[in-house]
Amino acid sequence: MAASDGIAIGPAFIMEDEDVAIPRWEVPKDRVKSELARFRYALGRTKDEMSSIHNKALKVFGKSHAKLMDAYLLILNDPFLNKDVIKIIETDRVNAEYALTQVIDRTIKVMENFEDEYFRDRKYDIMDVGHKILRHLMGHEKKTLHSIKEPSVVLAHNLTPTDTMNLKDHMAIGFATNIGGKTSHAALLAQSMTIPAVVGMRDVTSRVRTGDMVIVDGHEGIVIVKPDEATVARYRADQKRRLDEEKRLEKLRDLPAQTVDGHRVTLAANIEVSEDVKVALKQGAEGIGLFRTEFLFLNRKSAPTEEEQYQSYRHAVRASVPFPVIVRTLDLGGDKLTPLGLGGMSPESNPFLGLRGIRLCLKFPEIFKTQLRAILRASVDGKIKIMYPMVSGLDELRAANSLLQEVKSEMRSSLIPFDESMEVGMMVEVPSAALMVDILAREVDFFSLGTNDLIQYTLAVDRVNENVVNLYQPLHLAVLRLIDQTVKAGHNIGSKWVGVCGEMASEPDLVPILVGLDIDELSVSPSAVPKVKEVIRSTSYADCVQLTRNVMNASSVEAAQRILRLFAMQQKHSALPAVP
């Protein structure tokens, strides 16, 4: 699967496969203590190694990416390693390598059943940690990046954070791995470092030899081994075309997102961590339309403090001046509470329809109020807005606003300053909210459409289920009508503005429809800002309105797609074609 955009063409460098045969032997009773000491020594060496990586990540990438290494340190200090492995050595009297492998395998099996992709992908962290400890136990050294002698594409079973961070320093121009997901540490770091990457190839290291010519296509998520000359030429041409386009789009950075006939749209960016603000503004974004705050709550054993959250929000707000930042309150599911020390929740059979978003915040008001207080404190440092996720009706919205007023009263009593005029909005991502948006509009300052969930819930389609993914259709008339209805209700009741922060806004071919629907703000991934801005600036509002009418009058989704393709060809802003 695609992990990081870009194309890399060059000779392969195979990092030694970490899969090694794990021996098992019985440990005599009088040798158990020395076996335990051997395990603790390996564990200690691994902790030292990871602390060193953490410090390097902090220095090179900042706090946000250093947090990725925190996950490794948490694993190394977890009882399943410190206690369970030791218990097996003592009870079964087996060697440390075997005991460790037993515990790692058992833990991975549990994690493979997690519903959430992010948490499921954490099994790769467990594997990495296990391999590291094993190497120290067995004195096994793998081939390192230092062996690369020319610009190469690295192929590996998996890449640790250390390996990934050192890639550019060792002439690596891209990589592909057997395992890993879109949210694995290697993938996240590759995106930050703009290294083309493909992960989850299963057996790429066994199909390629060091020195073989390979192409890694980080756009399409494919790896081509020993390509013929024509294929190489085609990819080099595509590589050059993309680079030329990036340079061309850079010229639009400081220009407004305005159609040729003068219709203005605010173009903002979606971010995960406060450090991403700088990247977003550099791409030409006019503020942050969606600051997801979940990252602050992941990979830890207790909820973040008010001060910790305040520092993060303040950093984002200050970096964004003079543009605003919309902070979305916590949008986690109930199954994430246990790692935060807030257990007690039984597993949900369908977490997508369960305790998540504003529902979770209202059930645990102490978490919600802490976050609201941190956001309010940060509001004096710039322009900040609050947005509630997953609101399905008026009662939830009023309950959330009531808690917000409660926090404001407490802060006034304590003479803690905050922006009294701070805007409060909500996401429209549940059909029930879209259908009663005229009522909800009286209680908020703005709406932002979360189209990913809105499409999923409207069409009853799980977008990651390969059996029904073809039914996930942004152009479905029901979806377009809900968006249209939301915009009109927002505009007609108190002139509330309406934005889109879902994937639809990042799709260049769909942008004219959103403009034609009178969306006020599009919030997209930072990398999509230049292309979306170009689409808006090369299109007329009148044409967008007509296109939207034609699409909404189409007899089927297929017919709507044909209309859209024809429009994109006429406007010459269609997304780059994939290389066949």
Side-chain angles (χ1 to χ4, degrees), residues 1 15 50 132 135 141 203-204 246 264 281 313 315 369 383 396 450 454 472-473 510:
M1 69 182 73
M15 289 185 71
M50 293 314 302
K132 282 182 173 298
R135 281 207 306 275
E141 295 295 334
D203 57 357
V204 68
E246 284 177 16
R264 187 77 163 82
L281 298 187
Y313 307 146
H315 182 269
K369 288 178 68 176
K383 188 73 173 177
E396 285 175 342
L454 184 63
Y472 183 83
Q473 298 165 331
L510 298 179

XYZ file of all heavy atoms in Angstrom, residues 1 15 50 132 135 141 203-204 246 264 281 313 315 369 383 396 450 454 472-473 510:
186
model
N 0.835 -1.198 0.000
C 0.000 0.000 0.000
C 0.873 1.254 0.000
O 2.011 1.240 0.485
C -0.928 -0.003 1.212
C -0.247 0.186 2.543
S -1.369 0.116 3.957
C -1.713 -1.642 3.994
N 18.054 -4.919 3.136
C 18.528 -5.019 4.520
C 18.262 -6.435 4.996
O 17.232 -7.019 4.674
C 17.807 -4.008 5.414
C 18.241 -2.578 5.129
S 17.535 -1.358 6.231
C 18.408 -1.708 7.742
N 16.755 2.988 22.372
C 15.544 3.737 22.024
C 15.565 5.148 22.616
O 15.027 6.075 22.026
C 14.297 2.989 22.513
C 14.042 1.676 21.804
S 14.194 1.762 20.001
C 13.009 3.015 19.580
N 14.516 -6.161 18.346
C 15.653 -5.447 18.927
C 16.204 -6.176 20.147
O 17.421 -6.330 20.305
C 15.227 -4.020 19.320
C 15.154 -3.062 18.150
C 14.787 -1.673 18.617
C 14.899 -0.698 17.443
N 16.269 -0.599 16.914
N 18.010 -9.300 19.096
C 19.353 -9.080 18.541
C 20.378 -8.936 19.658
O 21.491 -9.431 19.561
C 19.359 -7.830 17.662
C 18.793 -8.042 16.284
C 19.391 -7.054 15.274
N 19.253 -5.678 15.700
C 18.168 -4.936 15.487
N 17.143 -5.474 14.859
N 18.110 -3.703 15.884
N 23.602 -9.249 14.409
C 23.702 -7.922 13.819
C 23.154 -7.944 12.405
O 23.523 -8.789 11.595
C 25.178 -7.452 13.786
C 25.788 -7.261 15.168
C 25.123 -6.137 15.960
O 24.573 -5.218 15.329
O 25.140 -6.213 17.198
N 6.299 -9.925 0.784
C 7.505 -10.700 0.505
C 8.458 -10.002 -0.448
O 9.191 -10.656 -1.180
C 7.121 -12.071 -0.075
C 6.272 -11.949 -1.328
O 5.934 -10.816 -1.712
O 5.959 -12.994 -1.930
N 8.463 -8.685 -0.446
C 9.290 -7.965 -1.414
C 10.773 -8.287 -1.234
O 11.526 -8.359 -2.212
C 9.032 -6.436 -1.338
C 9.539 -5.857 -0.028
C 9.664 -5.721 -2.520
N 4.968 20.599 -9.075
C 5.174 21.141 -7.725
C 5.766 22.549 -7.804
O 5.356 23.454 -7.083
C 6.104 20.225 -6.924
C 5.436 18.953 -6.436
C 6.402 18.042 -5.707
O 7.488 18.524 -5.319
O 6.085 16.851 -5.551
N -14.843 33.928 -3.819
C -13.766 33.622 -2.859
C -14.120 32.423 -1.996
O -15.235 32.316 -1.467
C -13.539 34.843 -1.970
C -12.362 34.756 -1.036
C -11.055 34.982 -1.789
N -9.969 35.307 -0.853
C -9.288 34.401 -0.165
N -9.564 33.126 -0.320
N -8.334 34.798 0.661
N 0.970 26.235 6.292
C 1.039 27.624 5.830
C 2.030 27.768 4.680
O 1.817 28.559 3.750
C 1.432 28.554 6.985
C 0.462 28.609 8.172
C 0.880 29.692 9.153
C -0.972 28.838 7.722
N -2.048 23.564 21.947
C -2.986 24.451 21.256
C -2.382 25.848 21.090
O -2.533 26.496 20.047
C -4.314 24.535 22.019
C -4.927 23.194 22.327
C -5.651 22.961 23.495
C -4.786 22.121 21.439
C -6.209 21.718 23.770
C -5.340 20.877 21.713
C -6.042 20.686 22.886
O -6.577 19.447 23.160
N 0.742 26.620 20.844
C 1.776 26.568 19.806
C 1.142 26.658 18.416
O 1.610 27.388 17.529
C 2.566 25.262 19.940
C 3.677 25.130 18.944
N 3.492 24.535 17.711
C 4.966 25.528 18.968
C 4.630 24.569 17.034
N 5.541 25.173 17.763
N -14.010 18.736 29.944
C -13.818 20.053 30.542
C -12.342 20.439 30.593
O -11.989 21.600 30.403
C -14.435 20.084 31.952
C -15.964 20.086 31.932
C -16.555 20.077 33.329
C -16.291 21.360 34.077
N -16.958 21.383 35.400
N -6.364 33.501 17.041
C -7.750 33.227 16.672
C -7.997 31.728 16.742
O -7.436 30.954 15.963
C -8.006 33.737 15.247
C -9.444 33.674 14.818
C -10.298 34.727 15.496
C -11.703 34.750 14.917
N -12.560 35.713 15.627
N -27.416 16.682 22.424
C -25.955 16.554 22.580
C -25.286 17.918 22.428
O -24.368 18.259 23.191
C -25.391 15.591 21.531
C -25.672 14.127 21.824
C -25.210 13.225 20.697
O -24.995 13.730 19.571
O -25.081 12.015 20.930
N -17.963 16.698 7.789
C -17.011 15.582 7.795
C -17.512 14.554 6.790
O -18.279 13.650 7.140
N -19.959 11.159 6.877
C -21.296 11.462 6.357
C -21.664 10.488 5.227
O -22.784 9.970 5.185
C -21.359 12.902 5.850
C -22.744 13.365 5.368
C -23.753 13.350 6.511
C -22.671 14.765 4.750
N -19.164 3.145 -1.691
C -18.796 4.408 -1.017
C -18.694 5.485 -2.106
O -17.685 5.588 -2.810
C -17.465 4.234 -0.293
C -17.027 5.442 0.491
C -17.509 5.668 1.774
C -16.124 6.352 -0.042
C -17.098 6.773 2.500
C -15.710 7.466 0.671
C -16.197 7.665 1.940
O -15.793 8.765 2.665
N -19.765 6.274 -2.271
C -19.880 7.152 -3.442
C -20.141 8.610 -3.040
O -21.279 8.973 -2.702
C -21.018 6.650 -4.342
C -20.770 5.251 -4.885
C -22.022 4.616 -5.458
O -23.129 4.908 -5.032
N -21.827 3.734 -6.428
N -13.540 16.865 -7.402
C -14.780 17.121 -6.677
C -14.890 18.564 -6.172
O -15.963 19.008 -5.774
C -14.888 16.159 -5.477
C -14.946 14.658 -5.806
C -15.026 13.838 -4.531
C -16.141 14.351 -6.700
